[in-house]
Amino acid sequence: QPVNILMVTIAFPPDFGGAAVQAIQLAKSLRARGYNIEFFTDNGAQKSIVDSYENFKIHRTRTFISAYKSKLRELIYVLRLLWFIVWHPKFKIIHFHSMRGTEAIIYPLLKLLGRRILLKLTLIDNDDPMTFKRRKNLAFLYMWGLRSVTHFVAISKRLRDLALEAGIKKEAVSLIYNGVNTARFRRIADDERKEIKSRLGYAEFKNVFLSIGKIEYRKGYDFLI
């Protein structure tokens, strides 16, 4: 029988998020190897629905609040996620693509239920273990929860180092960079580059910069501009 994996992403298309995009690519690769993948995501103030994306079943749960950074919304999301996992015992592996924080309170419960928890660390000062360890009031709760994670995946050396600094065992952390589709993103010859720039209307410019991602201060767009 195929192994059933539940991938948990806070945001999911049509809401843009790099973690979700990477999760979908990973899910496609795992599906080709015989795994069954489904997604669970936060649907905010919109009603709970089950739909499909790229032939994956998507469970979108209503959290009643539209404000993304609402702690109440976060708590509702985590409790509904726990309820979903309890009533869907077929999912033996729960793959979290990042976390906001409150997820840590359910990790020990998932471990008691026999689930294996995989947590991907994606953003320094956001979901790295040292960030949670530095929080004044709830640090002990976050770290207690993180100790129940089966394995961590860090997408950069710095994230791996922060996990180790926080006390996560070395053997529980793997460094795996986000992949690049080299069939789509590759070096091209000068003639092809000129043709593309001309077709896009950029022939007069010597240099063209392209950046894909959310417009956020931490990404340095103001510096680039």
Side-chain angles (χ1 to χ4, degrees):
Q1 292 184 346
V3 175
N4 295 292
I5 301 174
L6 182 66
M7 290 196 173
V8 181
T9 61
I10 301 164
F12 195 87
D15 293 333
F16 177 82
V21 172
Q22 192 274 337
I24 293 166
Q25 296 304 314
L26 175 61
K28 289 179 179 179
S29 180
L30 290 172
R31 182 169 60 186
R33 290 165 170 78
Y35 294 86
N36 177 53
I37 314 294
E38 296 182 25
F39 286 86
F40 186 95
T41 189
D42 187 342
N43 211 29
Q46 301 181 62
K47 67 179 182 179
S48 295
I49 60 170
V50 179
D51 61 5
S52 178
Y53 185 90
E54 300 279 358
N55 293 321
F56 292 107
K57 184 181 286 187
I58 315 300
H59 303 271
R60 303 179 188 268
T61 192
R62 185 179 187 182
T63 48
F64 304 97
I65 300 168
S66 57
Y68 177 76
K69 293 186 177 181
S70 166
K71 280 298 178 183
L72 179 58
R73 174 178 175 174
E74 184 179 327
L75 179 60
I76 294 171
Y77 168 73
V78 169
L79 293 177
R80 300 201 75 171
L81 171 61
L82 175 61
W83 181 258
F84 177 87
I85 294 171
V86 168
W87 286 99
H88 293 80
K90 69 176 183 178
F91 295 111
K92 302 302 182 185
I93 299 175
I94 316 298
H95 189 348
F96 288 84
H97 291 264
S98 185
M99 61 178 282
R100 285 181 285 197
T102 310
E103 293 91 336
I105 66 176
I106 68 169
Y107 291 160
L109 298 174
L110 296 181
K111 185 178 180 180
L112 285 173
L113 291 171
R115 306 303 202 273
R116 296 176 66 82
I117 307 164
L118 182 62
L119 173 59
K120 186 177 74 171
L121 308 175
T122 63
L123 183 59
I124 295 170
D125 295 331
N126 183 72
D127 66 359
D128 69 87
M130 274 305 298
T131 293
F132 295 119
K133 192 171 184 177
R134 293 189 187 106
R135 294 189 179 178
K136 295 180 180 180
N137 299 323
L138 297 176
F140 75 95
L141 183 61
Y142 290 129
M143 297 311 299
W144 173 68
L146 289 175
R147 281 192 286 271
S148 293
V149 172
T150 308
H151 203 82
F152 297 82
V153 171
I155 65 171
S156 72
K157 291 181 179 178
R158 181 58 180 156
L159 281 166
R160 179 196 60 188
D161 292 344
L162 287 169
L164 299 180
E165 185 180 344
I168 305 299
K169 294 180 180 179
K170 185 177 182 180
E171 58 270 22
V173 185
S174 292
L175 172 62
I176 304 177
Y177 299 107
N178 283 339
V180 175
N181 185 340
T182 54
R184 294 184 62 191
F185 301 97
R186 55 187 172 80
R187 292 184 181 275
I188 57 176
D190 288 342
D191 290 344
E192 186 179 0
R193 180 181 294 105
K194 290 178 182 178
E195 188 277 326
I196 293 172
K197 288 177 67 176
S198 177
R199 175 156 40 89
L200 295 175
Y202 298 146
E204 64 182 291
F205 299 105
K206 180 179 179 180
N207 297 310
V208 178
F209 292 90
L210 172 65
S211 180
I212 301 173
K214 283 186 176 180
I215 307 299
E216 294 180 332
Y217 177 76
R218 65 181 177 81
K219 294 190 175 184
Y221 287 110
D222 56 329
F223 178 76
L224 172 64
I225 293 170

